[in-house]
Amino acid sequence: MATLVAFHAHPDDEVLLTGGTLARAAAEGHRVVIVVATDSMVAADEGQPQRMLELRASAHVLGAHRVVHLGYADSGHGPVLYPDPPDRQRFARADVEEAAGRLARLLQEEGADLLLSYDVNGGYRHRDHLKVHVVGQRAAELAGGVRVLEATVPRDFVVRMMRLGRLLRVPFGHDPEVWSKAFSPSDAITHRISVRKYAAQKQSALAMHRSQVYGGGRLAAVMRLLVEMPTALFGLLLGYEWFVEESRRGSKA
């Protein structure tokens, strides 16, 4: 049995980028730990932020064994980086060595074999996602002996999905130009993980993030469409997850 630690920026990222891989790993008997850099600072429910409660529900569906918040606040996506809340620092402002030290200690505590992080573009270049890439790399160095796979999506796949969304008239709050340069080119991807068998789990885990699925965010319409579509179609569209491992270009899994 191996221990897999998935390091993400915000609650819901764990499903969108790695949900099938986490469900598959757990089903195959591995220990799965989900770490989020931020809790997104949404209104509290029973003393915990709503997004963290949703994350714990999602993690349960995926079969994860532990959920950890690294202790930072969401930095937001846009030109303005707002002041830190009173009790914590926004992740974008975090000292890399300090944040990496927190994650490295958890990797050592868990005896982690594998760390899932983000590609060099941070997906769509959200400042917190870019920081996850940097902090994840450094934490693996500090912990020692931890293999790193960086979650991503083939850029051409993203462009095709954008075109499909436009045909279906799905409202989408992001600039298509940004997404055409996001994530990774296909020739940079080293691992394609088949997760179609776990599509129902991944879709159910996504549905746990109700504040995002039924809220007013830029991705809400897309997330509602994914949650409400037939599971067979969900699996057809999202039946693979992709990773970059710099030392192993060209590998497939």
Side-chain angles (χ1 to χ4, degrees), residues 171-175 179 218-219:
F172 194 69
H174 286 276
D175 183 352
W179 287 82
R218 289 174 292 185
L219 284 175

Side-chain angles (χ1 to χ4, degrees), residues 186-233:
S186 293
D187 61 4
I189 292 170
T190 58
H191 294 72
R192 185 181 73 162
I193 309 296
S194 175
V195 297
R196 191 168 296 171
K197 181 178 177 181
Y198 305 94
Q201 272 179 274
K202 182 171 179 175
Q203 188 179 36
S204 295
L206 184 60
M208 296 297 103
H209 292 282
R210 293 186 59 82
S211 64
Q212 303 307 293
V213 174
Y214 299 107
R218 289 174 292 185
L219 284 175
V222 175
M223 292 176 73
R224 278 195 300 276
L225 180 65
L226 291 173
V227 165
E228 294 169 0
M229 69 174 49
T231 300
L233 178 58

Side-chain angles (χ1 to χ4, degrees), residues 4 8 19 22 32 36 73 80 97 112 147 154 156 220 239 241-242 245:
L4 181 160
H8 288 281
L22 300 184
V32 173
V36 285
V80 178
E97 290 297 310
R147 184 180 174 192
D156 56 347
E241 291 173 351
W242 300 270
E245 185 176 17

